[in-house]
Amino acid sequence: MTTNQGNPVDNDQASITTEKPTMTLLSDVHTVEKLAHFDRERIPERVVHAKGSGAFGYFEVTHDVTKYTCADFLSAVGKKTDMLVRFSTVGGERGSADSARDPRGFALKFYTNQGNYDMVGNNTPTFFIRDGIKFPDFIHTQKRNPITNLKDANMFWDFLSLTPESIHQVTILFSDRGTPYGYRNMHGYSSHTYMWYNAKGEYHWIKWHFRTDQGIKNLTDAEATELAGTDPDYATRDLHESIEKGDFPSWTAYVQIMTPEQAENFRFDPFDITKVWSQKEYPLIPVGKFTLNRNPDDYFAEIEQAAFSPGNFVPGISSSPDKMLQIRLFSYPDTHRHRLGTNFHQIPVNMAKSEVNTNQRDGAMNMGMPGGASPAPNYYPNSFNGAAPDAAFTPPPIDVQGLAARHEYVTGDVDFVQAGDLYGRVLSDYDKTNLISNIVGHIKNAQQRIQYRQTALFYKSHPEYGTRVAEGLGLDVEKVKALAAMTQEERVKATAQ
Ligand code: HEM
């Protein structure tokens, strides 16, 4: 055993004290260091997605997509790229149960020859809101009430019922897909639309889909509740143990692709993350497959300190005019600087495996690695052969028109169509029954006026959906129907406190 400075330690069981009485001496530098470091072991947990689990693996290209993207890691069939993956729940704290009803985070880091590419998605193809300005409010309603420090059904349903665009994601969340069996048995999605551009500078809009090769498996609400008590870390255990015994989970990667012209003329805003693109119109195009085959050696170093950002792009992939995505591009590196420090990119798990050549210097915890100790000049332009940008990596420009203003989405009833289709056309009778009882079991703890407002949104999506929730809650179905026929503004007034 040594101290943190590598000096041999003679004894780790008895601190140095006077003999009678036993007063501890400050000269015991080993004991002082041991306690001082322990006092500083915790760093802030992630503000969302705090509970998670991760593993390493590789991505392999199985299909030629070079006509769509010039990304080097996608440039040839058979090409392999090292990866880190982190799965998570969203609303709970670092010690919360893995089986909570919640979306699951699906964060992928590709260590490519052109730097890190991160695909930071969820196990749902949609989201609750579509403008990032609402994200802090939404998350507050999923976390604890600031007064009682309890999860609060009033906050939860008040916000959602005042945010009707959430109805599609709410329906997914309260189906049994909201309680996946474990991380291995769920699909992953970019949810957002991204740009792919090829070597000629032609671009398309794409959405990623990662389909689990283990098959979808979900828990019922009762099973999830029981597991939260008997084995709260079961998803973490399931992932770790399956990799440990050589049963490596994998996911097949696809993209949906839309041309700029199709996007221009699409029947709703294709960048609206509350909606999916029909797979009949925009079929899944296979790209590759990733496999997880190595558990981390140290959870804190490699998973807790992992920093994913939807803004980590490689040439060939870029962002899109999705308002949620645009705000995420700011939020992730910002929180990393707070959670991990200015030089979070120098933590080994976050370091690019390709050359890093930046003029950013110094800062707390600089490891003298990328840039820090480089002899090259730390400014540009320079005439000493320093790092220089290369215009060959410019993504295609996109046409932007009109006024810069607070543009609200004006969508109306189209927001209810996909939730209604999910209920009416996709879910089986068994799924529907579970959906209704999962909703009723949760919203029954909210005030009745909020139950009415939210149930009217279920009714607007599909009359049978709303009627069954209303019956489950003992609400007056005629009143729900009348509320459903109102505008959102009228409904909010009619259900005010
Ligand atoms: C984590 C912000 C929407 C997926 C986080 C973190 C923040 C954040 C601050 C913590 C990151 C860290 O501490 O390392 C936001 C904001 C959003 C948003 C402001 C909306 C504007 C989304 C959406 C998705 C998503 C739509 C999925 C499509 C994730 C995932 C993580 C995460 C997977 C965990 C990453 C990890 O494993 O380290 N988000 N988020 N977020 N977010 Fe978001």
Side-chain angles (χ1 to χ4, degrees):
M1 183 183 285
T2 70
T3 63
N4 287 349
Q5 305 302 320
N7 310 130
V9 169
D10 63 318
N11 185 314
D12 194 43
Q13 293 293 286
S15 54
I16 302 175
T17 63
T18 53
E19 193 171 357
K20 248 189 213 167
T22 53
M23 307 288 280
T24 306
L25 301 185
L26 205 53
S27 56
D28 184 355
V29 288
H30 168 56
T31 304
V32 170
E33 179 191 82
K34 185 174 177 180
L35 272 294
H37 193 277
F38 171 75
D39 292 343
R40 291 162 177 80
E41 275 181 10
R42 293 289 167 270
I43 61 168
E45 64 176 34
R46 289 167 175 81
V47 62
V48 280
H49 295 261
K51 176 73 187 291
S53 161
F56 295 91
Y58 65 93
F59 182 83
E60 182 168 2
V61 180
T62 55
H63 291 74
D64 182 2
V65 288
T66 52
K67 71 173 171 177
Y68 299 116
T69 175
C70 57
D72 181 73
F73 81 106
L74 298 174
S75 62
V77 171
K79 186 155 189 159
K80 288 187 181 171
T81 301
D82 286 348
M83 283 181 78
L84 163 69
V85 175
R86 182 175 179 271
F87 304 115
S88 48
T89 51
V90 182
E93 297 85 4
R94 233 194 105 177
S96 56
D98 286 343
S99 59
R101 180 170 305 287
D102 215 356
R104 299 295 187 271
F106 199 96
L108 317 180
K109 188 181 286 295
F110 300 76
Y111 298 100
T112 88
N113 295 336
Q114 297 174 306
N116 293 345
Y117 168 56
D118 292 357
M119 200 304 307
V120 198
N122 276 338
N123 72 328
T124 57
T126 54
F127 203 71
F128 301 89
I129 51 170
R130 55 193 165 192
D131 188 328
I133 194 174
K134 298 188 180 191
F135 190 77
D137 301 289
F138 165 64
I139 292 300
H140 287 170
T141 71
Q142 306 293 299
K143 298 245 180 202
R144 292 171 187 276
N145 179 305
I147 297 168
T148 61
N149 199 34
L150 294 167
K151 293 281 174 102
D152 190 319
N154 280 325
M155 288 167 37
F156 188 99
W157 291 105
D158 190 35
F159 181 84
L160 293 175
S161 62
L162 294 171
T163 311
E165 68 267 29
S166 63
I167 192 74
H168 190 192
Q169 176 82 337
V170 167
T171 305
I172 296 172
L173 180 67
F174 279 85
S175 74
D176 286 343
R177 289 214 180 184
T179 48
Y181 171 78
Y183 296 135
R184 293 184 307 131
N185 293 95
M186 59 187 202
H187 296 334
Y189 304 88
S190 60
S191 322
H192 295 289
T193 301
Y194 289 95
M195 177 196 276
W196 267 15
Y197 57 94
N198 64 19
K200 291 189 237 160
E202 299 159 338
Y203 72 88
H204 290 81
W205 302 118
I206 70 107
K207 280 177 186 276
W208 280 108
H209 293 243
F210 300 89
R211 298 180 72 87
T212 168
D213 295 327
Q214 290 65 244
I216 289 270
K217 213 164 134 191
N218 298 317
L219 300 165
T220 63
D221 198 63
E223 288 166 343
T225 306
E226 192 190 330
L227 262 182
T230 56
D231 190 3
D233 302 319
Y234 86 101
T236 304
R237 184 189 319 290
D238 176 63
L239 180 68
H240 185 90
E241 288 178 355
S242 85
I243 294 175
E244 218 48 32
K245 66 176 188 240
D247 177 10
F248 301 140
S250 63
W251 282 259
T252 304
Y254 302 85
V255 282
Q256 284 182 289
I257 295 192
M258 196 183 268
T259 64
E261 296 72 36
Q262 286 168 324
E264 196 68 39
N265 302 311
F266 201 56
R267 58 184 173 281
F268 55 79
D269 178 353
F271 306 106
D272 173 349
I273 192 178
T274 65
K275 298 180 180 62
V276 294
W277 299 349
S278 148
Q279 290 187 22
K280 267 197 203 121
E281 288 170 76
Y282 299 94
L284 297 185
I285 295 170
V287 180
K289 181 179 168 132
F290 76 83
T291 306
L292 300 181
N293 59 7
R294 183 167 70 80
N295 279 315
D297 294 326
D298 185 289
Y299 179 83
F300 181 87
E302 296 177 295
I303 304 302
E304 192 57 21
Q305 294 198 116
F308 296 87
S309 169
N312 290 349
F313 293 120
V314 287
I317 306 180
S318 189
S319 70
S320 78
D322 169 337
K323 290 193 200 189
M324 281 280 285
L325 176 59
Q326 299 275 319
I327 286 197
R328 291 183 73 200
L329 300 181
F330 154 74
S331 195
Y332 290 70
D334 182 53
T335 202
H336 297 150
R337 289 179 196 109
H338 153 70
R339 185 168 73 83
L340 301 164
T342 314
N343 284 304
F344 67 90
H345 56 285
Q346 293 187 13
I347 296 170
V349 74
N350 298 325
M351 273 178 63
K353 295 193 180 179
S354 59
E355 190 181 343
V356 176
N357 239 336
T358 168
N359 287 339
Q360 266 85 254
R361 289 290 191 277
D362 308 344
M365 303 302 287
N366 191 301
M367 300 297 147
M369 281 181 293
S374 158
N378 61 350
Y379 58 89
Y380 175 83
N382 66 76
S383 57
F384 293 97
N385 280 331
D390 182 346
F393 296 118
T394 312
I398 55 170
D399 191 15
V400 179
Q401 298 164 3
L403 302 178
R406 297 194 187 276
H407 297 287
E408 309 243 357
Y409 274 96
V410 186
T411 44
D413 286 353
V414 73
D415 288 343
F416 298 89
V417 171
Q418 295 192 349
D421 282 350
L422 179 57
Y423 181 86
R425 298 190 198 177
V426 180
L427 298 183
S428 66
D429 286 347
Y430 171 84
D431 293 336
K432 284 182 190 162
T433 301
N434 286 3
L435 170 70
I436 305 295
S437 82
N438 295 342
I439 291 173
V440 170
H442 195 287
I443 199 175
K444 69 173 193 235
N445 298 315
Q447 292 176 5
Q448 200 180 57
R449 68 188 178 91
I450 296 174
Q451 293 176 8
Y452 268 110
R453 196 196 295 143
Q454 179 66 39
T455 307
L457 302 183
F458 295 132
Y459 193 96
K460 256 179 100 64
S461 310
H462 195 291
E464 181 191 298
Y465 184 12
T467 305
R468 288 181 68 182
V469 174
E471 286 168 356
L473 290 168
L475 302 181
D476 175 352
V477 178
E478 286 309 311
K479 192 171 160 190
V480 168
K481 210 168 149 181
L483 283 167
M486 295 177 185
T487 63
Q488 176 68 3
E489 212 181 350
E490 292 164 343
R491 200 162 32 244
V492 171
K493 237 185 227 162
T495 52
Q497 216 170 7

